[in-house]
Amino acid sequence: MHWAFAASSASGLRVNFGSMTKSYHAGHAAMVGVLAAQLAEKGFNASPVALEGHEGFAKVFGYDGDLSSMARSLGNDYALNGLLLKLYPSCGGTHSAVDAILNLRNQLHTRLQDVAEIEVRVTPNTFNVLFHHNPQTPLEAKFSMEFCISAALAFGHLELRSSRKSAFLTLR
């Protein structure tokens, strides 16, 4: 029942995107998963309905659906059906726009100084994640559509050092 213990250690808030804590979310989740498995191996117990119970994970976080089939499958072996690698060191919500800008840059031989305005259309939820419109740090830049497409257009690539250039680029 290591999953029951792990469910009690859930974390990760979008408000922390663009800070060191965003990277901590994944590391913390992995750490807690390993710890939960180790504790379960040593006999540490938890509620068998920690996910779907009356005061369980799902109810506390607002999910009212039936989790019983998911809970029964926990502990089984799983296989990855492919692995998605991120092409850029930025939020996945920027990747399509960065690809488009890089393609246009290469096809049209466009430079940043040649562009007066860029319009990017995305789903409304995308900007719930990409909310750093005027990034002040490299970590915030990873969650800024404006920065990512400007840097890609200016430098012809998007990599970690793009956010360390002398000045952040902005769109007008």
Side-chain angles (χ1 to χ4, degrees):
M1 285 202 261
H2 65 279
W3 50 265
F5 177 67
S8 288
S9 302
S11 64
L13 299 172
R14 284 185 176 174
V15 71
N16 284 313
F17 284 17
S19 73
M20 294 171 123
T21 299
K22 169 59 174 91
S23 300
Y24 169 77
H25 292 164
H28 180 258
M31 177 189 73
V32 170
V34 170
L35 176 61
Q38 291 172 333
L39 289 170
E41 185 178 69
K42 300 289 185 193
F44 198 90
N45 69 0
S47 170
V49 293
L51 293 178
E52 75 278 11
H54 174 65
E55 294 294 324
F57 183 86
K59 300 289 188 220
V60 168
F61 287 97
Y63 181 76
D64 290 326
D66 178 24
L67 294 178
S68 58
S69 63
M70 183 182 75
R72 283 192 300 274
S73 69
L74 290 171
N76 298 330
D77 291 333
Y78 293 94
L80 294 176
N81 294 325
L83 185 59
L84 177 64
L85 299 176
K86 291 174 73 173
L87 295 176
Y88 311 110
S90 61
C91 175
T94 66
H95 289 209
S96 294
V98 169
D99 283 341
I101 288 295
L102 291 174
N103 285 334
L104 285 171
R105 184 183 194 274
N106 292 334
Q107 289 175 11
L108 304 175
H109 306 290
T110 304
R111 297 171 304 164
L112 183 63
Q113 56 268 30
D114 299 330
V115 177
E117 182 177 273
I118 299 172
E119 182 176 325
V120 178
R121 293 183 183 201
V122 296
T123 63
N125 191 47
T126 300
F127 281 108
N128 290 337
V129 178
L130 298 173
F131 54 83
H132 290 287
H133 302 295
N134 185 22
Q136 301 300 306
T137 68
L139 291 171
E140 288 179 0
K142 293 171 58 166
F143 293 90
S144 170
M145 180 70 81
E146 295 88 345
F147 175 82
C148 290
I149 59 176
S150 296
L153 183 57
F155 308 123
H157 55 82
L158 187 61
E159 51 192 49
L160 286 175
R161 66 180 174 199
S162 298
S163 62
R164 294 179 183 12
K165 298 292 180 183
S166 60
F168 284 97
L169 304 168
T170 58
L171 295 179
R172 296 180 191 157

